Amino acid sequence: MAKSRSGVFEKEANELLNRFNASLLFDKKLYFQDIKGSIAHAKMLGNQNILSQKETKTIISGLEKILLEIQNEEFKFDLADEDIHMAVEKRLGEIIGEDISGRLHTARSRNDQVAVDFKLYVQNSSLLLIDLIKEFIKTLLDIAKNHTKTLLPGMTHLQHAQPVNFAFHLLAYMCMFRRDAERLESSYKRNNLSPLGSAALAGTPYPIDRFETAEELGFDAPMSNAMDGVSDRDFALEILFNISVFMMHISRLAEELILWSSVEFRFIALSDEYSTGSSIMPQKKNPDVPELLRGKTGRVYGNLLGLLTVLKGLPLAYNKDMQEDKEGVFDSVETAVICLKIANETVKTMNINKENMSKACAKGHLSATDLADYLVTHKNIPFREAHFITGKAVAKAEELGVDISQISYLELQKIDGRIDKEAEKYLNLEASMNARNSKGGTAENRTAEQLLEMENWLKSQSKF
Ligand code: ARG
């Protein structure tokens, strides 16, 4: 009979119940956290004289042996054990005898045990993701440093808007990813409180030391209310949300990589190592990697919505519904990890075609705003009127089949006599980019400032 079935049961569990009820198939991923949590709990029980030193030692050495067995893939997982907690406990009994193993669960419930295991997994995952995100920012930064002079069309509504440099464009993504890392960090800090010792829901009559186990497991302190301790899954929701926002960002970048690698743009070429072929069209190289980065965002959003929905109607404290909290989190974490690794390599190895980027700037009258700004600044014309005159100038350029950056001032004078030769200087694309030198703007000096700021942030981040 499974260990969780006390003397109150007369019959074995039905096989169908075992399959339906068990979480072992997925929560075995938590074996490390489970054993770590149990060792901390056993140590504390020993220090508080709830267990003898001898019992504590025996329990800990048994748990360490189990850890090795699982790591060496010698451990036999049996679905009838229901979950990782019962599986470890049963094996402990086989190794050290039930007389002693049976004492480990003193002053503990599976409710606080699963909460602490899962929280340890989430906290550790946040740290891993923060590291990977920083590595990715570093890759983008290294690329950007070489492209403060590389012009490309900045767009709004996917229409050519104003010229920017490529470093500036990449910096926009770095800012997003920096916020993602900071969001994970803030969730980590907020949630770094231990649920262990909450017991089933109401605390325990044993003289436990929750501060000791909290510290041993790397938490800042115990959670303050035992009922909240076993019911709270905000930490899981937060990582799901944090990953969702991160994936939304990476999906936007992926979308641009897809566009940029198309025949229409040819701003970049993905390396062969990270491109796929078509089974029928031999000429094709497909951007499957960025497409999957974009596509996987959907399942990550689904995991967030799924858990929010599972939790919304639950009365306090633990309910079995909460067992549904894990698979989505595992999936989102694993998805984000592989997405970060492959995005990093894809971006690192892509070929950047400066010439095509700058050629594209000669289309779409990107410096039209500069003509309007010139009329305002040098001819004291109200912006609305300048905007109107510039519209006429663009129409003229269209008529002549040239870009506004290449039109002669003599043509412009026909539209408005106040325009003189100096206007040509302002219509130059590079000048247009460098004119946007307000704080945070695309001008080369401002871009350099932003690169430095990002680099300094990265440097300050060795640990928090
Ligand atoms: N497998 C369970 C889960 O994942 C562990 C907690 C079970 N607690 C209980 N009282 N049934 O949530």
Side-chain angles (χ1 to χ4, degrees):
M1 198 165 287
K3 284 272 174 289
S4 57
R5 293 169 85 82
S6 73
V8 84
F9 291 87
E10 286 173 5
K11 286 193 197 163
E12 281 287 351
N14 183 290
E15 183 44 36
L16 192 59
L17 169 71
N18 280 346
R19 267 197 298 161
F20 186 63
N21 197 38
S23 51
L24 186 60
L25 280 181
F26 52 88
D27 69 13
K28 61 182 178 188
K29 257 195 184 70
L30 296 175
Y31 74 89
F32 182 77
Q33 291 81 356
D34 193 69
I35 291 175
K36 211 172 138 187
S38 286
I39 291 177
H41 181 65
K43 260 193 201 162
M44 181 278 294
L45 292 178
N47 290 340
Q48 296 298 105
N49 294 321
I50 300 167
L51 294 185
S52 73
Q53 283 308 321
K54 190 161 174 273
E55 287 163 342
T56 305
K57 265 199 180 154
T58 312
I59 287 174
I60 292 175
S61 71
L63 287 168
E64 282 165 350
K65 184 159 191 290
I66 295 172
L67 182 61
L68 283 179
E69 285 180 0
I70 301 181
Q71 283 168 342
N72 296 334
E73 291 173 25
E74 290 156 12
F75 189 95
K76 283 194 187 56
F77 288 101
D78 177 2
L79 212 58
D81 291 335
E82 193 180 330
D83 55 31
I84 185 64
H85 325 296
M86 301 314 296
V88 169
E89 191 179 318
K90 186 180 86 181
R91 181 72 188 125
L92 188 64
E94 289 166 6
I95 299 173
I96 63 172
E98 289 188 6
D99 206 36
I100 301 185
S101 75
R103 293 170 199 273
L104 171 62
H105 214 52
T106 314
R108 186 175 73 168
S109 150
R110 264 189 301 165
N111 300 345
D112 59 338
Q113 190 177 356
V114 72
V116 79
D117 292 3
F118 193 31
K119 198 177 235 186
L120 285 171
Y121 170 86
V122 166
Q123 292 296 78
N124 190 48
S125 302
S126 290
L127 295 181
L128 171 68
L129 288 171
I130 291 170
D131 278 351
L132 290 171
I133 290 174
K134 285 182 197 158
E135 217 177 297
F136 188 41
I137 294 176
K138 172 85 172 57
T139 298
L140 295 173
L141 195 64
D142 288 343
I143 299 172
K145 279 181 185 161
N146 297 321
H147 289 283
T148 54
K149 288 184 194 298
T150 306
L151 286 186
L152 82 163
M155 308 219 184
T156 63
H157 313 269
L158 201 62
Q159 305 283 330
H160 284 208
Q162 290 172 343
V164 296
N165 68 70
F166 191 46
F168 174 77
H169 195 122
L170 292 178
L171 271 160
Y173 283 107
M174 288 182 242
C175 290
M176 296 176 219
F177 296 130
R178 173 177 167 176
R179 284 195 297 277
D180 292 334
E182 287 172 342
R183 205 173 286 112
L184 283 159
E185 182 181 324
S186 118
S187 292
Y188 178 96
K189 286 180 176 158
R190 178 173 32 265
N191 292 305
N192 204 31
L193 301 170
S194 171
L196 191 58
S198 297
L201 77 164
T204 170
Y206 296 94
I208 58 171
D209 183 351
R210 293 190 61 205
F211 287 89
E212 184 193 321
T213 47
E215 197 185 325
E216 174 81 17
L217 294 170
F219 293 108
D220 298 329
M223 289 174 79
S224 64
N225 175 284
M227 198 174 243
D228 182 45
V230 290
S231 321
D232 170 45
R233 291 295 182 270
D234 292 0
F235 61 92
L237 288 172
E238 282 191 38
I239 199 166
L240 288 174
F241 174 75
N242 294 340
I243 292 175
S244 294
V245 178
F246 158 71
M247 286 298 293
M248 178 269 288
H249 290 152
I250 202 111
S251 180
R252 293 183 77 170
L253 174 59
E255 170 65 15
E256 301 218 270
L257 297 181
I258 294 163
L259 285 173
W260 290 344
S261 58
S262 69
V263 175
E264 282 71 22
F265 282 77
R266 286 205 193 284
F267 285 3
I268 58 163
L270 300 177
S271 90
D272 282 1
E273 238 185 315
Y274 295 100
S275 304
T276 47
S278 156
S279 57
I280 174 167
M281 296 165 282
Q283 85 282 15
K284 292 205 73 184
K285 270 194 202 169
N286 289 330
D288 284 21
V289 170
E291 283 172 349
L292 274 173
L293 291 172
R294 190 177 57 182
K296 284 182 186 293
T297 308
R299 66 197 287 159
V300 164
Y301 289 1
N303 291 334
L304 171 62
L305 259 293
L307 185 57
L308 279 168
T309 312
V310 165
L311 294 171
K312 72 176 266 293
L314 298 186
L316 298 180
Y318 177 85
N319 299 270
K320 187 74 168 185
D321 315 45
M322 289 161 77
Q323 180 167 289
E324 292 289 314
D325 58 3
K326 291 172 207 58
E327 286 159 290
V329 170
F330 294 157
D331 180 64
S332 283
V333 168
E334 284 160 20
T335 300
V337 167
I338 188 147
C339 284
L340 269 160
K341 287 184 178 165
I342 200 148
N344 195 29
E345 292 309 314
T346 305
V347 164
K348 223 184 239 178
T349 54
M350 73 188 182
N351 207 325
I352 297 160
N353 194 324
K354 288 186 193 187
E355 290 70 36
N356 284 348
M357 285 186 183
S358 93
K359 263 191 228 155
C361 290
K363 281 180 267 171
H365 315 289
L366 288 169
S367 54
T369 317
D370 297 85
L371 179 62
D373 289 339
Y374 153 81
L375 293 170
V376 170
T377 319
H378 296 270
K379 304 293 163 190
N380 197 25
I381 297 174
F383 183 78
R384 270 292 149 244
E385 194 188 339
H387 184 263
F388 182 80
I389 298 169
T390 306
K392 291 235 169 245
V394 169
K396 183 80 187 162
E398 287 279 317
E399 193 190 309
L400 298 170
V402 293
D403 186 74
I404 193 93
S405 60
Q406 275 133 26
I407 201 166
S408 147
Y409 82 99
L410 294 169
E411 292 294 341
L412 296 175
Q413 259 181 357
K414 290 183 198 158
I415 297 163
D416 194 298
R418 287 170 290 186
I419 301 177
D420 50 33
K421 177 137 181 67
E422 221 197 341
E424 284 181 4
K425 205 170 78 194
Y426 292 93
L427 285 167
N428 172 279
L429 291 165
E430 204 181 302
S432 164
M433 186 263 282
N434 278 319
R436 289 184 168 67
N437 61 359
S438 51
K439 167 103 185 109
T442 188
E444 258 179 84
N445 60 340
R446 290 302 191 176
T447 300
E449 204 172 84
Q450 294 163 50
L451 286 172
L452 189 67
E453 198 182 310
M454 193 56 70
E455 182 149 40
N456 286 339
W457 174 75
L458 265 187
K459 277 189 196 145
S460 72
Q461 287 296 301
S462 50
K463 57 179 168 289
F464 63 84

